[in-house]
Amino acid sequence: MKTITKRALGLLSAVSLVALTTTAFAQEKKTIAVSIPAATHGWTGGVVYHAEQAAKEIKAAFPNIDVVVKTSPSATAQVSALEDLAASRKLDALVILPFTSEELTGPVEQVRASGTFITVVDRGLTDPAIQDLYVAGDNIAVGANTAKWLAEKLDNKGKIVVLRGIPTVIDDERIKGFTDVIGKTNIEILDIQYAHWNQDQAFKLMQDYLAKYPHIDAVWANDDDMLLGVLEAMKQSGRTDIKYALGGNGMKDVIELVKAKDPITPISTPYPPSMIKSAIYMTAAQFNGQAPMRGNFKLDAPLITPENADQFYFPDSPF
């Protein structure tokens, strides 16, 4: 598949959507179904928010497109929701963020068999050939860019601990990006364990790290939900040896720390839930822009600093 460039998306958002609105009335009615996990934690809460915002905006801009958003609290529920959507109406396109890759691959393949355009977001299917379009963040860069910043600040030496997320390809990629960079320094990773992208589990794991290691220079939590648990454990311990505690994803609460130039958390890296909005807009262009919206689109993961934090801060978003 060809890689769709950011320039293409920019042209889509800035010019095509506005210009093509005038012709939308004369076009055939199309239905885009959006199937996403329910707001089970902060990041998916942001996904739901941005999906609903995109649905409202596209319906207003393109009267010939109906966008139906369905949330599901589990993989099993998402399979059922997908079956109900396909049975109740003709789906011209499906935008799906799968709960799990294995359980959703077969049901999505069945939807595609009827000629539906398939857009997959973030968590991929086990068979990428099923999808027409794939939109995701750069997890390798999330880990690598954080590690480069931390190595420079620690002068390539020191002792750190790391919290992993859920055993998935996404977590593996972030850890690889981080450890590949740290492995080229004299920084020692004292411990690295799973906290399942959960704030409470991260709090308990950080308490264990604090009890086990008398000196820690920095913490990488892999994710901002977990970072909040780490910061609370540090606060309750009264420890002053930890210079930096970093996460990732661009949660609103953490961006506020960056904007305030917090000495412990002065940076973050984006893995924005708003990628669902990009995916829905690109799918809509498939029907209105007469542009071939097929291929892979990967979002960059630049460092979020006090200087650029406003670009990543969405005050109305729950995440």
Side-chain angles (χ1 to χ4, degrees):
M1 290 184 177
K2 293 180 179 180
T3 298
I4 297 174
T5 65
K6 292 172 68 178
R7 178 177 299 177
L9 181 60
L11 289 173
L12 164 70
S13 59
V15 179
S16 301
L17 295 181
V18 174
L20 293 167
T21 302
T22 56
T23 62
F25 290 97
Q27 296 176 1
E28 181 185 355
K29 191 78 172 181
K30 301 290 185 181
T31 298
I32 299 174
V34 180
S35 176
I36 54 179
T40 53
H41 64 285
W43 194 82
T44 51
V47 169
V48 173
Y49 169 81
H50 287 290
E52 292 176 344
Q53 291 297 309
K56 292 177 184 176
E57 293 165 7
I58 289 175
K59 286 179 180 179
F62 303 110
N64 68 313
I65 294 181
D66 186 24
V67 181
V68 181
V69 178
K70 293 291 184 183
T71 62
S72 303
S74 67
T76 302
Q78 192 174 24
V79 171
S80 297
L82 206 56
E83 292 172 348
D84 291 343
L85 282 168
S88 61
R89 71 198 78 194
K90 179 182 181 299
L91 301 182
D92 297 287
L94 170 67
V95 179
I96 182 165
L97 198 163
F99 228 103
T100 62
S101 303
E102 292 78 8
E103 289 179 83
L104 270 300
T105 295
V108 173
E109 188 172 21
Q110 291 179 15
V111 173
R112 180 182 170 77
S114 61
T116 303
F117 184 90
I118 303 295
T119 299
V120 178
V121 184
D122 184 35
R123 305 167 194 172
L125 302 173
T126 56
D127 182 4
I130 297 171
Q131 67 207 20
D132 295 288
L133 177 64
Y134 179 63
V135 179
D138 189 340
N139 285 291
I140 292 287
V142 168
N145 291 344
T146 304
K148 290 174 185 174
W149 183 93
L150 188 60
E152 181 179 347
K153 293 297 180 182
L154 295 179
D155 197 21
N156 291 317
K157 59 188 178 184
K159 300 179 184 295
I160 66 174
V161 293
V162 176
L163 290 81
R164 302 198 62 162
I166 293 173
T168 60
V169 172
I170 293 174
D171 181 73
D172 290 343
E173 290 178 346
R174 290 187 187 184
I175 295 299
K176 175 175 173 47
F178 186 83
T179 55
D180 281 355
V181 173
I182 295 299
K184 297 174 183 175
T185 72
N186 291 320
I187 295 172
E188 179 186 0
I189 297 179
L190 295 169
D191 219 326
I192 176 169
Q193 297 185 38
Y194 289 99
H196 300 89
W197 289 327
N198 180 280
Q199 188 173 329
D200 291 338
Q201 292 186 45
F203 173 78
K204 294 176 182 176
L205 178 55
M206 190 63 205
Q207 282 187 317
D208 291 342
Y209 283 164
L210 290 166
K212 189 175 180 181
Y213 302 106
H215 181 86
I216 300 172
D217 289 297
V219 185
W220 184 47
N222 183 330
D223 167 87
D224 286 340
D225 271 311
M226 294 196 296
L227 175 60
L228 295 183
V230 167
L231 292 174
E232 181 60 29
M234 289 169 53
K235 178 182 176 182
Q236 292 188 18
S237 73
R239 290 271 292 263
T240 59
D241 51 310
I242 301 174
K243 302 177 182 69
Y244 302 107
L246 308 175
N249 278 359
M251 176 189 276
K252 186 168 64 175
D253 292 349
V254 175
I255 301 297
E256 288 173 354
L257 293 176
V258 174
K259 284 163 66 77
K261 300 182 180 180
D262 184 272
I264 302 295
T265 307
I267 62 140
S268 185
T269 47
Y271 195 83
S274 58
M275 69 176 68
I276 189 72
K277 192 171 188 177
S278 300
I280 296 170
Y281 265 82
M282 295 171 77
T283 304
Q286 175 69 20
F287 302 116
N288 285 277
Q290 297 182 340
M293 286 297 165
R294 287 179 168 78
N296 298 329
F297 180 77
K298 184 174 287 187
L299 299 165
D300 288 341
L303 287 181
I304 302 174
T305 66
E307 289 73 29
N308 67 8
D310 283 339
Q311 300 174 28
F312 302 91
Y313 186 67
F314 305 100
D316 295 330
S317 170
F319 184 78

